[in-house]
Amino acid sequence: MIEVFVESIRVNMTNYKRVVMLKEKTSSRYLPIWIGHFEADAIAIPMQNVPVTRPLTHDLLGAVVAALGATVTQVVINRLADETFYAKLILDANGSPVEVDSRPSDAIAVAIRAKVPIYVDESVLDQAGMVFENEGDDVGGLAQPPERHDA
């Protein structure tokens, strides 16, 4: 597993689709995952410390996990099949690991709130990881990533 972080959420100006850009912590490789605008907001809101008056869905999920005596320890983007990414929330429930299937965008939104690491299986990065020639390249520019979706 390779640890990544959310480098940015970008908007393609030709079609206004959002893409979350995950970046390896120890390398210059990125993993772009196309997500919906609601999913992008769910990730961006806690990253930008935007105050909300009521708990959002991912806040609620974190509260439920805690109320049940578990903690989120990490999230893993573990598979890419038919242009769709798959992820898991890894929980610690009274000392026992529990894996919960998740969309990557939801897993990332939970990880940001829980302040836990995000990992990507090396095979997924080998399939879909990208290295941009110029640091300034972006989704709307020359380094257009293929559309691999969160589902």
Side-chain angles (χ1 to χ4, degrees), residues 59-142:
D59 302 315
L60 174 64
L61 178 58
V64 169
V65 168
L68 293 173
T71 57
V72 179
T73 60
Q74 64 185 307
V75 302
V76 177
I77 299 170
N78 62 321
R79 191 163 67 99
L80 173 61
D82 298 323
E83 302 297 313
T84 301
F85 290 98
Y86 295 84
K88 292 183 181 186
L89 298 174
I90 310 298
L91 310 177
D92 179 335
N94 299 317
S96 298
V98 176
E99 295 183 0
V100 180
D101 187 38
S102 175
R103 296 184 313 169
S105 59
D106 292 329
I108 293 166
V110 169
I112 297 294
R113 285 166 172 79
K115 297 178 175 42
V116 299
I118 302 168
Y119 294 98
V120 177
D121 189 276
E122 191 165 356
S123 67
V124 173
L125 274 166
D126 289 344
Q127 284 179 276
M130 302 180 73
V131 176
F132 296 112
E133 289 182 21
N134 298 315
E135 190 70 23
D137 286 351
D138 65 44
V139 182
L142 301 174

Side-chain angles (χ1 to χ4, degrees), residues 19-72:
V19 61
V20 61
M21 299 296 287
L22 301 177
K23 185 177 184 303
E24 280 189 60
K25 278 196 160 186
T26 60
S27 174
S28 59
R29 192 163 47 165
Y30 291 82
L31 181 67
I33 301 176
W34 293 89
I35 59 177
H37 70 276
F38 294 117
E39 292 82 359
D41 287 348
I43 295 168
I45 286 170
M47 288 181 67
Q48 297 172 349
N49 297 313
V50 175
V52 293
T53 57
R54 299 289 297 146
L56 300 176
T57 304
H58 299 92
D59 302 315
L60 174 64
L61 178 58
V64 169
V65 168
L68 293 173
T71 57
V72 179

